[in-house]
Amino acid sequence: MASLDEYQQKLEQGGFDECLCTLYPPHKLNEQRARYFALLDCFEARFGRGEVRLFSAPGRTELGGNHTDHNHGLCLAASVDLDLIAAVRPTKEPVIRIQSEGFEGMDVVDLTDLTPREEERERSCALIRGIAARMTALGFSVGGFDGYITSQVPQGAGLSSSAAFEILIVAILNGLYNKGNTDPVTAAKISQFAENTYFGKPCGLMDQMACSVGGCISLDFERPQDPLVERVPFQVSSFGHALCIVATGGSHADLTNEYAAVPAEMKAVAAFFGKEALREASLKDVMAQAKEIRRVCGDRAWLRAVHFFTENERVKKEVQALRQGDFEEYKQLVLASGRSSFQWLQNAYSCASPREQGIVVALAATALLLGNEGAYRVHGGGFAGTIQVFVPLAQLDAYQNGIEAVMGKGACHPIWIRPVGGVEVTQENADFH
């Protein structure tokens, strides 16, 4: 831990350049130097001078496996260079105080009372309290700190800003009070517990795993408490493409029921066979009992079950294609995933708001702009939010201009796969590779 002045001087002299060029693409080095410098200024303005430490946690992109994790399925995901960063200072008082840039109020959590609070549900302070509670229950140490956070993960952009926030808080408590002993998988589970139990969102584990482990990873949730994680070497630019996330302008605020219905309907089909999750059944079973499943569970539940099984098979093929360097095959699988999500999973828009179909508009505009080039699909939870697009580098400028003419200035975010998850930037002798 060093003073703000010492870290700002180190930033100016390039002392953090090796670390920053691991967390961000090299062409963003100067931008990130300035960003961390400004973060330290903001911390000082809010909490005063003194020693600090710096932390970072990435957003994530889902590369395959749309709505499969919650039914013990397969996923392909990656951490990205758009991240949350924090300057923090430990305190003797058992209180966490966090000021997030752009928000008027400060999150204040008293660590002497870690019971869930109804009035905090769906607020960031619920995530902080839930993380502290779970870490305490697992035998980790927690303590107070003052922190200032800035974010480049757009809200509602399908890059899991909530999971990035959770992993950042775990990374901070891990670094300040546990000597870095909380492993990435445990950090993800702690974060999921906080989001499920304290925040009140019934999410799976994929988002937190991708933000915590880092890089491109395949995930098998057959045993959800002990998921199989394997790294998959992948950087989109090496195949002559850019990976873009296009924000459609929709809000997730009133979509909790839509998200909750997806795993619930899949599990209803699983329950038809006396199983807990769809992974324990098979596509053959679902096809053989289609008429009765439709009668008992409904047509949409049957369609979503079919999506689950076919999407699982696609993830296997996507991982194989990337390992073999067959990007053209991977793109075809991305397109097939998009069709399945649209037609069978049905998460391209909310049936309650048919006038608002931003994802469908973005997909249609992308198809017209790219023709037979590239690949595209709904991204993340769906219903509102973003689409994912693989764009040939030669067409990137034209595509970005074209899609932003439809969806609005700043809607298109080119992203880069980051090789590490939540980290302490100021950790001495850290190896982020």
Side-chain angles (χ1 to χ4, degrees):
M1 189 157 60
S3 70
L4 288 99
D5 290 340
E6 289 173 315
Y7 281 148
Q8 286 182 326
Q9 184 178 22
K10 189 174 180 179
L11 281 164
E12 288 181 329
Q13 295 175 350
F16 286 115
D17 284 3
E18 182 177 359
C19 168
L20 296 181
C21 284
T22 299
L23 302 182
Y24 313 99
H27 70 271
K28 291 186 178 180
L29 176 59
N30 289 335
E31 171 192 328
Q32 293 300 329
R33 279 182 188 157
R35 181 175 170 229
Y36 278 86
F37 198 98
L39 171 69
L40 291 166
D41 280 342
C42 290
F43 181 92
E44 179 183 354
R46 188 64 186 85
F47 297 108
R49 303 186 68 78
E51 294 185 332
V52 295
R53 290 163 74 170
L54 300 172
F55 293 82
S56 163
R60 73 97 181 100
T61 184
E62 171 204 285
L63 298 171
N66 195 218
H67 276 286
T68 52
D69 58 333
H70 45 60
N71 268 261
H72 305 180
L74 306 176
C75 303
L76 182 65
S79 57
V80 300
D81 60 302
L82 299 180
D83 67 343
L84 277 70
I85 59 174
V88 304
R89 178 184 298 148
T91 61
K92 293 182 179 180
E93 185 183 7
V95 175
I96 294 175
R97 287 179 286 263
I98 295 177
Q99 180 67 59
S100 295
E101 184 180 46
F103 292 85
E104 291 185 6
M106 182 185 297
D107 289 313
V108 180
V109 174
D110 184 345
L111 299 177
T112 62
D113 178 10
L114 296 178
T115 56
R117 297 186 178 184
E118 186 63 31
E119 68 273 16
E120 289 183 349
R121 289 176 73 84
E122 300 190 8
R123 294 172 54 197
S124 54
C125 50
L127 297 174
I128 299 167
R129 194 180 304 277
I131 287 167
R134 190 59 177 166
M135 291 187 74
T136 300
L138 293 175
F140 295 104
S141 298
V142 299
F145 64 85
D146 293 333
Y148 195 98
I149 294 176
T150 70
S151 174
Q152 286 188 329
V153 183
Q155 290 284 333
L159 297 173
S160 291
S161 57
S162 60
F165 179 84
E166 294 153 16
I167 295 301
L168 180 65
I169 300 303
V170 177
I172 292 168
L173 291 171
N174 188 30
L176 296 184
Y177 296 107
N178 294 280
K179 299 180 180 180
N181 291 327
T182 310
D183 67 89
V185 174
T186 300
K189 292 178 183 178
I190 290 168
S191 300
Q192 183 200 26
F193 171 86
E195 188 157 344
N196 290 171
T197 307
Y198 280 66
F199 188 83
K201 181 179 178 181
C203 68
L205 188 58
M206 186 202 47
D207 294 351
Q208 291 82 1
M209 287 289 286
C211 293
S212 185
V213 175
C216 180
I217 56 174
S218 67
L219 296 157
D220 186 337
F221 291 105
E222 184 172 15
R223 294 184 297 172
Q225 297 307 311
D226 186 25
L228 179 63
V229 184
E230 295 184 353
R231 293 194 177 275
V232 181
F234 182 43
Q235 189 57 260
V236 187
S237 58
S238 64
F239 294 101
H241 283 67
L243 172 56
C244 296
I245 299 298
V246 178
T248 67
S251 170
H252 293 83
D254 299 319
L255 294 173
T256 299
N257 289 338
E258 294 277 18
Y259 294 127
V262 175
E265 290 181 7
M266 289 183 181
K267 288 181 179 180
V269 176
F272 176 89
F273 295 103
K275 308 296 184 181
E276 178 188 352
L278 270 180
R279 181 66 176 271
E280 301 171 60
S282 70
L283 180 58
K284 181 179 179 181
D285 295 335
V286 169
M287 289 294 290
Q289 296 290 327
K291 185 175 180 180
E292 189 64 11
I293 292 170
R294 292 173 60 202
R295 184 186 70 80
V296 174
C297 305
D299 286 352
R300 190 172 68 172
W302 184 83
L303 288 165
R304 284 174 166 173
V306 171
H307 165 82
F308 172 87
F309 290 111
T310 56
E311 187 77 345
N312 259 7
E313 290 303 311
R314 268 188 293 275
V315 171
K316 295 177 186 177
K317 294 176 182 178
E318 287 170 341
V319 170
Q320 182 180 19
L322 291 180
R323 290 194 185 283
Q324 294 176 347
D326 190 346
F327 191 61
E328 291 304 311
E329 172 64 11
Y330 173 72
K331 286 195 299 181
Q332 292 304 310
L333 292 164
V334 169
L335 289 168
S337 174
R339 289 191 294 270
S340 180
S341 292
F342 198 137
Q343 298 169 3
W344 298 344
L345 182 62
Q346 298 182 22
N347 68 333
Y349 65 94
S350 170
C351 294
S353 303
R355 285 177 57 86
E356 300 175 14
Q357 297 191 32
I359 285 178
V360 183
V361 170
L363 290 170
T366 297
L368 293 170
L369 289 165
L370 293 183
N372 293 324
E373 301 294 328
Y376 42 87
R377 64 197 278 271
V378 63
H379 182 247
F383 300 107
T386 60
I387 67 167
Q388 178 186 76
V389 189
F390 293 88
V391 186
L393 288 173
Q395 298 183 32
L396 179 59
D397 289 343
Y399 174 75
Q400 191 163 8
N401 290 333
I403 197 66
E404 290 189 351
V406 177
M407 306 309 299
K409 189 68 175 176
C412 183
H413 302 273
I415 58 177
W416 181 77
I417 295 177
R418 156 175 159 161
V420 295
V423 294
E424 180 176 353
V425 177
T426 46
Q427 181 181 352
E428 292 295 329
N429 303 316
D431 181 7
F432 294 151
H433 296 84

